[in-house]
PDB file of all heavy atoms in Angstrom:
ATOM      1  N   ASP A  95      -5.758 -16.731   7.870  1.00  0.00           N
ATOM      2  CA  ASP A  95      -7.109 -17.160   8.252  1.00  0.00           C
ATOM      3  C   ASP A  95      -8.089 -17.020   7.098  1.00  0.00           C
ATOM      4  O   ASP A  95      -8.905 -17.913   6.844  1.00  0.00           O
ATOM      5  CB  ASP A  95      -7.569 -16.336   9.462  1.00  0.00           C
ATOM      6  CG  ASP A  95      -8.950 -16.755   9.943  1.00  0.00           C
ATOM      7  OD1 ASP A  95      -9.122 -17.930  10.316  1.00  0.00           O
ATOM      8  OD2 ASP A  95      -9.872 -15.909   9.926  1.00  0.00           O
ATOM      9  N   GLN A  96      -8.021 -15.912   6.364  1.00  0.00           N
ATOM     10  CA  GLN A  96      -8.959 -15.703   5.263  1.00  0.00           C
ATOM     11  C   GLN A  96      -8.719 -16.696   4.121  1.00  0.00           C
ATOM     12  O   GLN A  96      -9.677 -17.225   3.537  1.00  0.00           O
ATOM     13  CB  GLN A  96      -8.858 -14.269   4.746  1.00  0.00           C
ATOM     14  CG  GLN A  96      -9.328 -13.196   5.727  1.00  0.00           C
ATOM     15  CD  GLN A  96     -10.842 -13.146   5.891  1.00  0.00           C
ATOM     16  OE1 GLN A  96     -11.571 -14.041   5.491  1.00  0.00           O
ATOM     17  NE2 GLN A  96     -11.325 -12.053   6.481  1.00  0.00           N
ATOM     18  N   CYS A  97      -7.470 -16.955   3.782  1.00  0.00           N
ATOM     19  CA  CYS A  97      -7.183 -17.935   2.726  1.00  0.00           C
ATOM     20  C   CYS A  97      -7.678 -19.326   3.126  1.00  0.00           C
ATOM     21  O   CYS A  97      -8.242 -20.057   2.301  1.00  0.00           O
ATOM     22  CB  CYS A  97      -5.689 -17.975   2.421  1.00  0.00           C
ATOM     23  SG  CYS A  97      -5.091 -16.600   1.400  1.00  0.00           S
ATOM     24  N   ARG A  98      -7.480 -19.698   4.375  1.00  0.00           N
ATOM     25  CA  ARG A  98      -7.946 -21.022   4.818  1.00  0.00           C
ATOM     26  C   ARG A  98      -9.460 -21.130   4.747  1.00  0.00           C
ATOM     27  O   ARG A  98     -10.008 -22.222   4.587  1.00  0.00           O
ATOM     28  CB  ARG A  98      -7.453 -21.302   6.242  1.00  0.00           C
ATOM     29  CG  ARG A  98      -5.950 -21.576   6.326  1.00  0.00           C
ATOM     30  CD  ARG A  98      -5.581 -22.235   7.643  1.00  0.00           C
ATOM     31  NE  ARG A  98      -5.912 -21.384   8.788  1.00  0.00           N
ATOM     32  CZ  ARG A  98      -5.074 -20.504   9.335  1.00  0.00           C
ATOM     33  NH1 ARG A  98      -3.854 -20.357   8.821  1.00  0.00           N
ATOM     34  NH2 ARG A  98      -5.443 -19.788  10.365  1.00  0.00           N
ATOM     35  N   ARG A  99     -10.157 -19.999   4.845  1.00  0.00           N
ATOM     36  CA  ARG A  99     -11.616 -19.992   4.724  1.00  0.00           C
ATOM     37  C   ARG A  99     -12.089 -19.883   3.273  1.00  0.00           C
ATOM     38  O   ARG A  99     -13.292 -19.895   3.014  1.00  0.00           O
ATOM     39  CB  ARG A  99     -12.198 -18.821   5.526  1.00  0.00           C
ATOM     40  CG  ARG A  99     -12.009 -18.937   7.035  1.00  0.00           C
ATOM     41  CD  ARG A  99     -12.382 -17.638   7.741  1.00  0.00           C
ATOM     42  NE  ARG A  99     -12.162 -17.718   9.177  1.00  0.00           N
ATOM     43  CZ  ARG A  99     -13.094 -18.052  10.072  1.00  0.00           C
ATOM     44  NH1 ARG A  99     -14.321 -18.337   9.654  1.00  0.00           N
ATOM     45  NH2 ARG A  99     -12.814 -18.102  11.352  1.00  0.00           N
ATOM     46  N   GLY A 100     -11.148 -19.740   2.353  1.00  0.00           N
ATOM     47  CA  GLY A 100     -11.516 -19.601   0.939  1.00  0.00           C
ATOM     48  C   GLY A 100     -11.841 -18.184   0.522  1.00  0.00           C
ATOM     49  O   GLY A 100     -12.304 -17.950  -0.601  1.00  0.00           O
ATOM     50  N   ASN A 101     -11.575 -17.226   1.417  1.00  0.00           N
ATOM     51  CA  ASN A 101     -11.836 -15.817   1.110  1.00  0.00           C
ATOM     52  C   ASN A 101     -10.568 -15.181   0.529  1.00  0.00           C
ATOM     53  O   ASN A 101      -9.959 -14.284   1.109  1.00  0.00           O
ATOM     54  CB  ASN A 101     -12.281 -15.069   2.376  1.00  0.00           C
ATOM     55  CG  ASN A 101     -13.562 -15.620   2.941  1.00  0.00           C
ATOM     56  OD1 ASN A 101     -14.445 -16.083   2.204  1.00  0.00           O
ATOM     57  ND2 ASN A 101     -13.697 -15.590   4.251  1.00  0.00           N
ATOM     58  N   PHE A 102     -10.183 -15.666  -0.648  1.00  0.00           N
ATOM     59  CA  PHE A 102      -8.856 -15.354  -1.176  1.00  0.00           C
ATOM     60  C   PHE A 102      -8.661 -13.879  -1.518  1.00  0.00           C
ATOM     61  O   PHE A 102      -7.547 -13.367  -1.446  1.00  0.00           O
ATOM     62  CB  PHE A 102      -8.584 -16.219  -2.405  1.00  0.00           C
ATOM     63  CG  PHE A 102      -8.569 -17.694  -2.105  1.00  0.00           C
ATOM     64  CD1 PHE A 102      -9.601 -18.520  -2.545  1.00  0.00           C
ATOM     65  CD2 PHE A 102      -7.547 -18.249  -1.365  1.00  0.00           C
ATOM     66  CE1 PHE A 102      -9.592 -19.875  -2.273  1.00  0.00           C
ATOM     67  CE2 PHE A 102      -7.518 -19.610  -1.075  1.00  0.00           C
ATOM     68  CZ  PHE A 102      -8.557 -20.431  -1.535  1.00  0.00           C
ATOM     69  N   SER A 103      -9.721 -13.184  -1.903  1.00  0.00           N
ATOM     70  CA  SER A 103      -9.544 -11.792  -2.320  1.00  0.00           C
ATOM     71  C   SER A 103      -9.287 -10.856  -1.146  1.00  0.00           C
ATOM     72  O   SER A 103      -8.991  -9.677  -1.352  1.00  0.00           O
ATOM     73  CB  SER A 103     -10.761 -11.301  -3.103  1.00  0.00           C
ATOM     74  OG  SER A 103     -11.864 -11.058  -2.258  1.00  0.00           O
ATOM     75  N   VAL A 104      -9.393 -11.386   0.068  1.00  0.00           N
ATOM     76  CA  VAL A 104      -9.067 -10.593   1.253  1.00  0.00           C
ATOM     77  C   VAL A 104      -7.952 -11.263   2.044  1.00  0.00           C
ATOM     78  O   VAL A 104      -7.907 -11.184   3.277  1.00  0.00           O
ATOM     79  CB  VAL A 104     -10.317 -10.324   2.138  1.00  0.00           C
ATOM     80  CG1 VAL A 104     -11.223  -9.307   1.471  1.00  0.00           C
ATOM     81  CG2 VAL A 104     -11.087 -11.612   2.436  1.00  0.00           C
ATOM     82  N   CYS A 105      -7.037 -11.914   1.317  1.00  0.00           N
ATOM     83  CA  CYS A 105      -5.829 -12.473   1.938  1.00  0.00           C
ATOM     84  C   CYS A 105      -5.193 -11.425   2.847  1.00  0.00           C
ATOM     85  O   CYS A 105      -5.052 -10.256   2.495  1.00  0.00           O
ATOM     86  CB  CYS A 105      -4.843 -12.890   0.848  1.00  0.00           C
ATOM     87  SG  CYS A 105      -3.210 -13.381   1.463  1.00  0.00           S
ATOM     88  N   GLU A 106      -4.799 -11.855   4.038  1.00  0.00           N
ATOM     89  CA  GLU A 106      -4.298 -10.929   5.054  1.00  0.00           C
ATOM     90  C   GLU A 106      -2.819 -10.603   4.910  1.00  0.00           C
ATOM     91  O   GLU A 106      -2.321  -9.702   5.593  1.00  0.00           O
ATOM     92  CB  GLU A 106      -4.556 -11.524   6.447  1.00  0.00           C
ATOM     93  CG  GLU A 106      -6.037 -11.681   6.765  1.00  0.00           C
ATOM     94  CD  GLU A 106      -6.291 -12.465   8.033  1.00  0.00           C
ATOM     95  OE1 GLU A 106      -5.506 -13.394   8.340  1.00  0.00           O
ATOM     96  OE2 GLU A 106      -7.277 -12.154   8.724  1.00  0.00           O
ATOM     97  N   ARG A 107      -2.105 -11.297   4.019  1.00  0.00           N
ATOM     98  CA  ARG A 107      -0.653 -11.147   3.974  1.00  0.00           C
ATOM     99  C   ARG A 107      -0.109 -10.603   2.656  1.00  0.00           C
ATOM    100  O   ARG A 107       1.033 -10.136   2.614  1.00  0.00           O
ATOM    101  CB  ARG A 107       0.014 -12.501   4.249  1.00  0.00           C
ATOM    102  CG  ARG A 107      -0.273 -13.053   5.625  1.00  0.00           C
ATOM    103  CD  ARG A 107       0.415 -14.395   5.827  1.00  0.00           C
ATOM    104  NE  ARG A 107       0.116 -14.955   7.151  1.00  0.00           N
ATOM    105  CZ  ARG A 107       0.489 -16.156   7.542  1.00  0.00           C
ATOM    106  NH1 ARG A 107       1.181 -16.935   6.720  1.00  0.00           N
ATOM    107  NH2 ARG A 107       0.182 -16.594   8.743  1.00  0.00           N
ATOM    108  N   SER A 108      -0.869 -10.696   1.572  1.00  0.00           N
ATOM    109  CA  SER A 108      -0.265 -10.440   0.267  1.00  0.00           C
ATOM    110  C   SER A 108      -0.177  -8.964  -0.121  1.00  0.00           C
ATOM    111  O   SER A 108       0.572  -8.613  -1.035  1.00  0.00           O
ATOM    112  CB  SER A 108      -1.020 -11.211  -0.826  1.00  0.00           C
ATOM    113  OG  SER A 108      -2.362 -10.781  -0.920  1.00  0.00           O
ATOM    114  N   ASN A 109      -0.926  -8.093   0.550  1.00  0.00           N
ATOM    115  CA  ASN A 109      -0.823  -6.667   0.238  1.00  0.00           C
ATOM    116  C   ASN A 109       0.353  -6.069   1.002  1.00  0.00           C
ATOM    117  O   ASN A 109       0.278  -5.821   2.200  1.00  0.00           O
ATOM    118  CB  ASN A 109      -2.108  -5.926   0.595  1.00  0.00           C
ATOM    119  CG  ASN A 109      -2.074  -4.471   0.125  1.00  0.00           C
ATOM    120  OD1 ASN A 109      -1.047  -3.962  -0.308  1.00  0.00           O
ATOM    121  ND2 ASN A 109      -3.215  -3.799   0.223  1.00  0.00           N
ATOM    122  N   ARG A 110       1.448  -5.830   0.275  1.00  0.00           N
ATOM    123  CA  ARG A 110       2.646  -5.314   0.942  1.00  0.00           C
ATOM    124  C   ARG A 110       2.516  -3.851   1.338  1.00  0.00           C
ATOM    125  O   ARG A 110       3.393  -3.305   2.018  1.00  0.00           O
ATOM    126  CB  ARG A 110       3.870  -5.534   0.068  1.00  0.00           C
ATOM    127  CG  ARG A 110       3.785  -4.912  -1.310  1.00  0.00           C
ATOM    128  CD  ARG A 110       4.925  -5.383  -2.182  1.00  0.00           C
ATOM    129  NE  ARG A 110       4.856  -4.805  -3.523  1.00  0.00           N
ATOM    130  CZ  ARG A 110       5.689  -5.124  -4.506  1.00  0.00           C
ATOM    131  NH1 ARG A 110       6.640  -6.020  -4.288  1.00  0.00           N
ATOM    132  NH2 ARG A 110       5.567  -4.563  -5.689  1.00  0.00           N
ATOM    133  N   ASN A 111       1.440  -3.186   0.895  1.00  0.00           N
ATOM    134  CA  ASN A 111       1.132  -1.821   1.347  1.00  0.00           C
ATOM    135  C   ASN A 111      -0.107  -1.826   2.240  1.00  0.00           C
ATOM    136  O   ASN A 111      -0.909  -0.884   2.227  1.00  0.00           O
ATOM    137  CB  ASN A 111       0.922  -0.891   0.155  1.00  0.00           C
ATOM    138  CG  ASN A 111       2.203  -0.667  -0.627  1.00  0.00           C
ATOM    139  OD1 ASN A 111       3.295  -0.738  -0.075  1.00  0.00           O
ATOM    140  ND2 ASN A 111       2.069  -0.400  -1.915  1.00  0.00           N
ATOM    141  N   LYS A 112      -0.242  -2.866   3.007  1.00  0.00           N
ATOM    142  CA  LYS A 112      -1.427  -3.048   3.848  1.00  0.00           C
ATOM    143  C   LYS A 112      -1.684  -1.847   4.749  1.00  0.00           C
ATOM    144  O   LYS A 112      -2.842  -1.456   4.956  1.00  0.00           O
ATOM    145  CB  LYS A 112      -1.243  -4.314   4.700  1.00  0.00           C
ATOM    146  CG  LYS A 112      -2.427  -4.674   5.583  1.00  0.00           C
ATOM    147  CD  LYS A 112      -2.138  -5.960   6.357  1.00  0.00           C
ATOM    148  CE  LYS A 112      -3.356  -6.389   7.166  1.00  0.00           C
ATOM    149  NZ  LYS A 112      -3.743  -5.401   8.183  1.00  0.00           N
ATOM    150  N   HIS A 113      -0.643  -1.230   5.259  1.00  0.00           N
ATOM    151  CA  HIS A 113      -0.820  -0.119   6.191  1.00  0.00           C
ATOM    152  C   HIS A 113      -1.532   1.064   5.524  1.00  0.00           C
ATOM    153  O   HIS A 113      -2.274   1.806   6.170  1.00  0.00           O
ATOM    154  CB  HIS A 113       0.526   0.323   6.750  1.00  0.00           C
ATOM    155  CG  HIS A 113       1.486   0.828   5.715  1.00  0.00           C
ATOM    156  ND1 HIS A 113       2.092   0.007   4.789  1.00  0.00           N
ATOM    157  CD2 HIS A 113       1.939   2.087   5.437  1.00  0.00           C
ATOM    158  CE1 HIS A 113       2.871   0.727   3.999  1.00  0.00           C
ATOM    159  NE2 HIS A 113       2.800   1.980   4.373  1.00  0.00           N
ATOM    160  N   ILE A 114      -1.315   1.230   4.210  1.00  0.00           N
ATOM    161  CA  ILE A 114      -1.995   2.316   3.488  1.00  0.00           C
ATOM    162  C   ILE A 114      -3.461   1.962   3.273  1.00  0.00           C
ATOM    163  O   ILE A 114      -4.360   2.780   3.515  1.00  0.00           O
ATOM    164  CB  ILE A 114      -1.305   2.573   2.132  1.00  0.00           C
ATOM    165  CG1 ILE A 114       0.167   2.944   2.337  1.00  0.00           C
ATOM    166  CG2 ILE A 114      -2.028   3.678   1.368  1.00  0.00           C
ATOM    167  CD1 ILE A 114       0.940   3.069   1.033  1.00  0.00           C
ATOM    168  N   ALA A 115      -3.720   0.736   2.794  1.00  0.00           N
ATOM    169  CA  ALA A 115      -5.098   0.312   2.547  1.00  0.00           C
ATOM    170  C   ALA A 115      -5.908   0.267   3.839  1.00  0.00           C
ATOM    171  O   ALA A 115      -7.104   0.581   3.842  1.00  0.00           O
ATOM    172  CB  ALA A 115      -5.109  -1.042   1.860  1.00  0.00           C
ATOM    173  N   ASP A 116      -5.261  -0.110   4.942  1.00  0.00           N
ATOM    174  CA  ASP A 116      -5.959  -0.129   6.235  1.00  0.00           C
ATOM    175  C   ASP A 116      -6.501   1.259   6.589  1.00  0.00           C
ATOM    176  O   ASP A 116      -7.613   1.395   7.112  1.00  0.00           O
ATOM    177  CB  ASP A 116      -5.019  -0.605   7.341  1.00  0.00           C
ATOM    178  CG  ASP A 116      -4.822  -2.115   7.348  1.00  0.00           C
ATOM    179  OD1 ASP A 116      -5.575  -2.818   6.653  1.00  0.00           O
ATOM    180  OD2 ASP A 116      -3.904  -2.586   8.058  1.00  0.00           O
ATOM    181  N   LYS A 117      -5.700   2.283   6.300  1.00  0.00           N
ATOM    182  CA  LYS A 117      -6.131   3.646   6.619  1.00  0.00           C
ATOM    183  C   LYS A 117      -7.298   4.083   5.748  1.00  0.00           C
ATOM    184  O   LYS A 117      -8.187   4.805   6.196  1.00  0.00           O
ATOM    185  CB  LYS A 117      -4.959   4.612   6.439  1.00  0.00           C
ATOM    186  CG  LYS A 117      -3.860   4.455   7.490  1.00  0.00           C
ATOM    187  CD  LYS A 117      -2.706   5.412   7.247  1.00  0.00           C
ATOM    188  CE  LYS A 117      -1.622   5.235   8.294  1.00  0.00           C
ATOM    189  NZ  LYS A 117      -0.447   6.125   8.043  1.00  0.00           N
ATOM    190  N   MET A 118      -7.319   3.642   4.490  1.00  0.00           N
ATOM    191  CA  MET A 118      -8.379   4.072   3.577  1.00  0.00           C
ATOM    192  C   MET A 118      -9.658   3.261   3.754  1.00  0.00           C
ATOM    193  O   MET A 118     -10.759   3.807   3.726  1.00  0.00           O
ATOM    194  CB  MET A 118      -7.900   3.964   2.135  1.00  0.00           C
ATOM    195  CG  MET A 118      -8.929   4.450   1.121  1.00  0.00           C
ATOM    196  SD  MET A 118      -8.211   4.730  -0.508  1.00  0.00           S
ATOM    197  CE  MET A 118      -9.656   5.339  -1.390  1.00  0.00           C
ATOM    198  N   PHE A 119      -9.504   1.929   3.926  1.00  0.00           N
ATOM    199  CA  PHE A 119     -10.675   1.044   3.919  1.00  0.00           C
ATOM    200  C   PHE A 119     -11.026   0.480   5.294  1.00  0.00           C
ATOM    201  O   PHE A 119     -12.036  -0.205   5.427  1.00  0.00           O
ATOM    202  CB  PHE A 119     -10.437  -0.127   2.965  1.00  0.00           C
ATOM    203  CG  PHE A 119     -10.214   0.292   1.527  1.00  0.00           C
ATOM    204  CD1 PHE A 119      -9.105  -0.145   0.830  1.00  0.00           C
ATOM    205  CD2 PHE A 119     -11.116   1.126   0.879  1.00  0.00           C
ATOM    206  CE1 PHE A 119      -8.886   0.238  -0.485  1.00  0.00           C
ATOM    207  CE2 PHE A 119     -10.913   1.514  -0.435  1.00  0.00           C
ATOM    208  CZ  PHE A 119      -9.798   1.061  -1.125  1.00  0.00           C
ATOM    209  N   GLY A 120     -10.202   0.725   6.290  1.00  0.00           N
ATOM    210  CA  GLY A 120     -10.428   0.106   7.595  1.00  0.00           C
ATOM    211  C   GLY A 120      -9.624  -1.162   7.739  1.00  0.00           C
ATOM    212  O   GLY A 120      -8.939  -1.369   8.738  1.00  0.00           O
ATOM    213  N   HIS A 121      -9.710  -2.031   6.745  1.00  0.00           N
ATOM    214  CA  HIS A 121      -8.906  -3.243   6.685  1.00  0.00           C
ATOM    215  C   HIS A 121      -8.561  -3.495   5.226  1.00  0.00           C
ATOM    216  O   HIS A 121      -9.380  -3.274   4.333  1.00  0.00           O
ATOM    217  CB  HIS A 121      -9.654  -4.455   7.259  1.00  0.00           C
ATOM    218  CG  HIS A 121      -9.983  -4.320   8.711  1.00  0.00           C
ATOM    219  ND1 HIS A 121      -9.069  -4.544   9.715  1.00  0.00           N
ATOM    220  CD2 HIS A 121     -11.142  -3.966   9.333  1.00  0.00           C
ATOM    221  CE1 HIS A 121      -9.641  -4.345  10.888  1.00  0.00           C
ATOM    222  NE2 HIS A 121     -10.900  -3.988  10.685  1.00  0.00           N
ATOM    223  N   SER A 122      -7.386  -4.011   4.983  1.00  0.00           N
ATOM    224  CA  SER A 122      -6.897  -4.227   3.626  1.00  0.00           C
ATOM    225  C   SER A 122      -7.448  -5.507   3.022  1.00  0.00           C
ATOM    226  O   SER A 122      -7.753  -6.480   3.730  1.00  0.00           O
ATOM    227  CB  SER A 122      -5.364  -4.304   3.645  1.00  0.00           C
ATOM    228  OG  SER A 122      -4.855  -4.737   2.406  1.00  0.00           O
ATOM    229  N   GLY A 123      -7.558  -5.517   1.694  1.00  0.00           N
ATOM    230  CA  GLY A 123      -7.795  -6.748   0.950  1.00  0.00           C
ATOM    231  C   GLY A 123      -6.473  -7.319   0.472  1.00  0.00           C
ATOM    232  O   GLY A 123      -5.395  -6.931   0.925  1.00  0.00           O
ATOM    233  N   ALA A 124      -6.549  -8.246  -0.460  1.00  0.00           N
ATOM    234  CA  ALA A 124      -5.360  -8.908  -0.981  1.00  0.00           C
ATOM    235  C   ALA A 124      -4.556  -7.982  -1.882  1.00  0.00           C
ATOM    236  O   ALA A 124      -5.052  -6.966  -2.376  1.00  0.00           O
ATOM    237  CB  ALA A 124      -5.770 -10.153  -1.770  1.00  0.00           C
ATOM    238  N   GLY A 125      -3.307  -8.357  -2.114  1.00  0.00           N
ATOM    239  CA  GLY A 125      -2.525  -7.709  -3.148  1.00  0.00           C
ATOM    240  C   GLY A 125      -3.042  -8.106  -4.520  1.00  0.00           C
ATOM    241  O   GLY A 125      -3.524  -9.234  -4.714  1.00  0.00           O
ATOM    242  N   LEU A 126      -2.960  -7.186  -5.474  1.00  0.00           N
ATOM    243  CA  LEU A 126      -3.418  -7.436  -6.839  1.00  0.00           C
ATOM    244  C   LEU A 126      -2.303  -7.088  -7.815  1.00  0.00           C
ATOM    245  O   LEU A 126      -1.532  -6.158  -7.588  1.00  0.00           O
ATOM    246  CB  LEU A 126      -4.657  -6.594  -7.173  1.00  0.00           C
ATOM    247  CG  LEU A 126      -5.847  -6.664  -6.212  1.00  0.00           C
ATOM    248  CD1 LEU A 126      -6.951  -5.711  -6.683  1.00  0.00           C
ATOM    249  CD2 LEU A 126      -6.378  -8.084  -6.095  1.00  0.00           C
ATOM    250  N   TYR A 127      -2.239  -7.817  -8.904  1.00  0.00           N
ATOM    251  CA  TYR A 127      -1.251  -7.519  -9.940  1.00  0.00           C
ATOM    252  C   TYR A 127      -1.643  -6.276 -10.738  1.00  0.00           C
ATOM    253  O   TYR A 127      -2.824  -6.055 -11.040  1.00  0.00           O
ATOM    254  CB  TYR A 127      -1.141  -8.688 -10.924  1.00  0.00           C
ATOM    255  CG  TYR A 127      -0.535  -9.930 -10.346  1.00  0.00           C
ATOM    256  CD1 TYR A 127      -1.342 -10.987  -9.931  1.00  0.00           C
ATOM    257  CD2 TYR A 127       0.841 -10.063 -10.223  1.00  0.00           C
ATOM    258  CE1 TYR A 127      -0.793 -12.143  -9.401  1.00  0.00           C
ATOM    259  CE2 TYR A 127       1.403 -11.220  -9.691  1.00  0.00           C
ATOM    260  CZ  TYR A 127       0.577 -12.248  -9.288  1.00  0.00           C
ATOM    261  OH  TYR A 127       1.126 -13.396  -8.763  1.00  0.00           O
ATOM    262  N   GLY A 128      -0.626  -5.466 -11.071  1.00  0.00           N
ATOM    263  CA  GLY A 128      -0.803  -4.399 -12.042  1.00  0.00           C
ATOM    264  C   GLY A 128      -1.844  -3.376 -11.679  1.00  0.00           C
ATOM    265  O   GLY A 128      -2.519  -2.827 -12.554  1.00  0.00           O
ATOM    266  N   TYR A 129      -1.988  -3.104 -10.393  1.00  0.00           N
ATOM    267  CA  TYR A 129      -3.063  -2.216  -9.972  1.00  0.00           C
ATOM    268  C   TYR A 129      -2.496  -1.144  -9.056  1.00  0.00           C
ATOM    269  O   TYR A 129      -1.289  -0.962  -8.927  1.00  0.00           O
ATOM    270  CB  TYR A 129      -4.175  -3.041  -9.308  1.00  0.00           C
ATOM    271  CG  TYR A 129      -5.561  -2.570  -9.672  1.00  0.00           C
ATOM    272  CD1 TYR A 129      -5.987  -2.559 -10.999  1.00  0.00           C
ATOM    273  CD2 TYR A 129      -6.448  -2.111  -8.698  1.00  0.00           C
ATOM    274  CE1 TYR A 129      -7.250  -2.113 -11.346  1.00  0.00           C
ATOM    275  CE2 TYR A 129      -7.719  -1.676  -9.040  1.00  0.00           C
ATOM    276  CZ  TYR A 129      -8.110  -1.669 -10.359  1.00  0.00           C
ATOM    277  OH  TYR A 129      -9.376  -1.214 -10.711  1.00  0.00           O
ATOM    278  N   THR A 130      -3.371  -0.400  -8.437  1.00  0.00           N
ATOM    279  CA  THR A 130      -2.971   0.697  -7.567  1.00  0.00           C
ATOM    280  C   THR A 130      -2.060   0.231  -6.428  1.00  0.00           C
ATOM    281  O   THR A 130      -2.099  -0.934  -6.012  1.00  0.00           O
ATOM    282  CB  THR A 130      -4.230   1.371  -6.983  1.00  0.00           C
ATOM    283  OG1 THR A 130      -3.864   2.200  -5.874  1.00  0.00           O
ATOM    284  CG2 THR A 130      -5.205   0.336  -6.450  1.00  0.00           C
ATOM    285  N   HIS A 131      -1.256   1.160  -5.901  1.00  0.00           N
ATOM    286  CA  HIS A 131      -0.394   0.838  -4.770  1.00  0.00           C
ATOM    287  C   HIS A 131      -1.198   0.611  -3.496  1.00  0.00           C
ATOM    288  O   HIS A 131      -0.650   0.105  -2.508  1.00  0.00           O
ATOM    289  CB  HIS A 131       0.659   1.932  -4.582  1.00  0.00           C
ATOM    290  CG  HIS A 131       1.738   1.847  -5.617  1.00  0.00           C
ATOM    291  ND1 HIS A 131       2.976   1.308  -5.365  1.00  0.00           N
ATOM    292  CD2 HIS A 131       1.740   2.200  -6.931  1.00  0.00           C
ATOM    293  CE1 HIS A 131       3.706   1.340  -6.462  1.00  0.00           C
ATOM    294  NE2 HIS A 131       2.980   1.880  -7.428  1.00  0.00           N
ATOM    295  N   LEU A 132      -2.483   0.929  -3.503  1.00  0.00           N
ATOM    296  CA  LEU A 132      -3.349   0.545  -2.394  1.00  0.00           C
ATOM    297  C   LEU A 132      -3.480  -0.966  -2.298  1.00  0.00           C
ATOM    298  O   LEU A 132      -3.839  -1.509  -1.257  1.00  0.00           O
ATOM    299  CB  LEU A 132      -4.744   1.167  -2.563  1.00  0.00           C
ATOM    300  CG  LEU A 132      -4.851   2.679  -2.387  1.00  0.00           C
ATOM    301  CD1 LEU A 132      -6.231   3.159  -2.806  1.00  0.00           C
ATOM    302  CD2 LEU A 132      -4.563   3.066  -0.935  1.00  0.00           C
ATOM    303  N   THR A 133      -3.220  -1.654  -3.416  1.00  0.00           N
ATOM    304  CA  THR A 133      -3.292  -3.114  -3.420  1.00  0.00           C
ATOM    305  C   THR A 133      -1.906  -3.741  -3.583  1.00  0.00           C
ATOM    306  O   THR A 133      -1.773  -4.852  -4.093  1.00  0.00           O
ATOM    307  CB  THR A 133      -4.238  -3.612  -4.529  1.00  0.00           C
ATOM    308  OG1 THR A 133      -3.796  -3.124  -5.802  1.00  0.00           O
ATOM    309  CG2 THR A 133      -5.655  -3.130  -4.284  1.00  0.00           C
TER     310      THR A 133
END
Side-chain angles (χ1 to χ4, degrees):
D95 182 60
Q96 293 287 14
C97 282
R98 288 197 299 269
R99 294 170 182 266
N101 298 327
F102 298 109
S103 74
V104 287
C105 172
E106 296 171 326
R107 297 180 181 174
S108 62
N109 187 351
R110 57 190 179 184
N111 293 332
K112 183 179 184 298
H113 62 289
I114 301 174
D116 282 348
K117 290 179 180 178
M118 182 165 182
F119 299 127
H121 297 281
S122 170
L126 308 177
Y127 292 100
Y129 220 60
T130 165
H131 285 258
L132 290 171
T133 57

